[in-house]
Amino acid sequence: WTNADAASHTATADDGSFDTGTLAQGRSGSHAFTSAGTFAYHCTIHPSMHGTVTVVASTTAAPAPAPAPAAAAPAASAPTLPNTGMDALARALAGLAMLLAGLALRRLAAR
């Protein structure tokens, strides 16, 4: 997992079998799955963010690659965590607050 969002996130297995720890913007984490199956995970910081990893059986007897360290550069095809839009939401709310304050000042000045 690579965090492309400004907010920190985790990828934590619903059953507790893996946890990337907190990944700040631009940081990566990984887990080496040793069996086939579908594994559900969520972000412990943002519980509404969740996903699944589907691992299929290998067709060769080649050994599995070693997991990348948490600070490793992301692979070209590594999944990324979605941008939650939190920066845009904060800016929109600040703009709305300034607009409302300006309208209130305008009303007071017109009196």
Side-chain angles (χ1 to χ4, degrees):
W1 292 267
T2 300
N3 184 3
D5 191 13
S8 293
H9 297 284
T10 72
T12 305
D14 288 355
D15 66 4
S17 62
F18 65 87
D19 185 357
T20 61
T22 301
L23 302 175
Q25 182 178 25
R27 303 292 289 188
S28 297
S30 65
H31 174 74
F33 294 89
T34 58
S35 61
T38 300
F39 304 90
Y41 68 93
H42 62 279
C43 174
T44 57
I45 301 167
H46 309 97
S48 64
M49 299 178 78
H50 51 86
T52 57
V53 173
T54 302
V55 178
V56 295
S58 173
T59 57
T60 65
S77 63
T80 59
L81 296 171
N83 184 335
T84 61
M86 292 301 291
D87 284 343
L89 178 61
R91 289 183 181 140
L93 290 175
L96 179 60
M98 288 191 293
L99 175 66
L100 292 175
L103 291 173
L105 288 173
R106 186 174 179 180
R107 276 187 127 180
L108 287 174
R111 287 184 182 187

